[in-house]
Amino acid sequence: MMQSTSQCPDVETIAAWVEGRLSKAETAVLIEHASVCETCMPMIDAANETFHAEGGREGVALGAGRQRWLLAAAASLAIVVTSLLVLRARRHDAMQELVEVAPRSERTVEARLSGGFPWAPYRGAMRADRPSTDTEQMKLIGAAAKALDRAKQDTSPDARRAAAEALVLIDRPEEGIARLTEETKHSPSEARAWSDLAAAQYAAALAGRTSLLPEALASVNRALQIDPHLGEALFNRALVLERLGMRGEARVAWQRYL
């Protein structure tokens, strides 16, 4: 069985959950893990469909029946994993490269962008007068240029969002806002796009367009309406509220994020 929320469950654990054989504590651990794991949720869905297709609880009551459904579930899961690997390989071309070259010594955007960027202290937007981070900045600029070039050929949502985030990362938030605004029109139910738009608006506000702070708050509120548990959006909302001087609400928002 699963030991922690960071460890993906095996096929037997998923089978036990679908059949209702896990304890409440084990079920809670699995659900908590699956809610943030892009690999496990499709696996659970595939196993659940296979289980019901094989006749549900009556079908698995017999040893042979249960064997058949486990084999079918394993085959389904293999297809899901293969598909996810292909999708991850495609995503690696855009977003993951930005994540990999993002400076570890400091971050260039105070708000949090989605995609899995590592935590680093914020010391201001990208500037050329920081020799200690010059190499990191050059790598980031190179990856941003690649993301922008790829978005010209690859019109997928991931590629478009990577290009927009790239602009925000290299201190061109106004251009990022334009792209992310279009992205929210294409995918109005995509919470990450709204959260990233709020991050871009916040960055532009710090650069002088303070009138964008209320818009950033509206964008991040929209993100949290869609996904109340999106970590980056929870962080960004607290940050915007604090910058707006709404300290009481900001304190509650930070507590919610933590």
Side-chain angles (χ1 to χ4, degrees), residues 1-257:
M1 298 298 179
M2 280 175 43
Q3 300 299 315
S4 71
T5 56
S6 61
Q7 179 183 350
C8 289
D10 55 25
V11 175
E12 284 287 347
T13 300
I14 293 175
W17 181 77
V18 171
E19 295 170 9
R21 294 186 292 107
L22 290 186
S23 68
K24 288 184 178 180
E26 290 173 323
T27 298
V29 171
L30 187 146
I31 291 174
E32 181 182 356
H33 172 83
S35 68
V36 295
C37 180
E38 63 181 355
T39 301
C40 288
M41 188 53 73
M43 286 184 171
I44 291 171
D45 288 341
N48 194 45
E49 289 176 11
T50 304
F51 171 74
H52 290 294
E54 284 290 314
R57 297 181 184 278
E58 293 180 4
V60 298
L62 300 174
R66 186 169 186 278
Q67 264 191 340
R68 285 198 305 274
W69 107 252
L70 276 174
L71 288 172
S76 298
L77 299 186
I79 293 171
V80 170
V81 171
T82 301
S83 300
L84 286 169
L85 289 174
V86 171
L87 289 173
R88 283 181 174 178
R90 290 177 182 171
R91 187 180 302 169
H92 179 84
D93 291 340
M95 188 68 73
Q96 285 306 115
E97 188 167 350
L98 288 172
V99 172
E100 288 170 6
V101 302
R104 266 48 176 181
S105 59
E106 59 183 281
R107 69 184 193 274
T108 60
V109 182
E110 187 174 9
R112 303 303 302 275
L113 292 166
S114 61
F117 289 91
W119 172 264
Y122 176 70
R123 297 193 180 94
M126 181 181 290
R127 297 201 309 267
D129 60 350
R130 295 184 191 166
S132 61
T133 60
D134 183 61
T135 302
E136 290 181 325
Q137 289 188 7
M138 289 176 65
K139 289 180 180 178
L140 181 58
I141 291 171
K146 288 182 182 178
L148 290 166
D149 283 340
R150 289 190 186 108
K152 294 176 182 177
Q153 284 81 39
D154 183 356
T155 59
S156 67
D158 280 345
R160 295 196 306 261
R161 196 161 53 86
E165 289 194 19
L167 289 165
V168 180
L169 287 166
I170 60 174
D171 199 24
R172 290 163 60 181
E174 298 279 2
E175 295 173 69
I177 289 171
R179 287 179 181 251
L180 286 164
T181 299
E182 286 300 310
E183 196 56 37
T184 59
K185 292 177 182 177
H186 284 296
S187 306
S189 61
E190 177 53 71
R192 293 174 300 174
W194 286 104
S195 180
D196 289 341
L197 175 58
Q201 290 165 330
Y202 181 89
L206 292 190
R209 289 191 61 190
T210 54
S211 61
L212 284 174
L213 284 174
E215 292 187 34
L217 182 59
S219 295
V220 77
N221 283 343
R222 181 69 178 272
L224 289 170
Q225 286 175 355
I226 299 167
D227 184 355
H229 303 292
L230 183 62
E232 293 89 349
L234 289 169
F235 181 96
N236 292 343
R237 185 173 188 274
L239 196 66
V240 173
L241 287 169
E242 187 173 333
R243 184 65 64 172
L244 283 168
M246 303 168 69
R247 295 190 176 185
E249 292 186 46
R251 184 180 296 109
V252 173
W254 282 122
Q255 290 171 342
R256 182 182 173 192
Y257 167 72

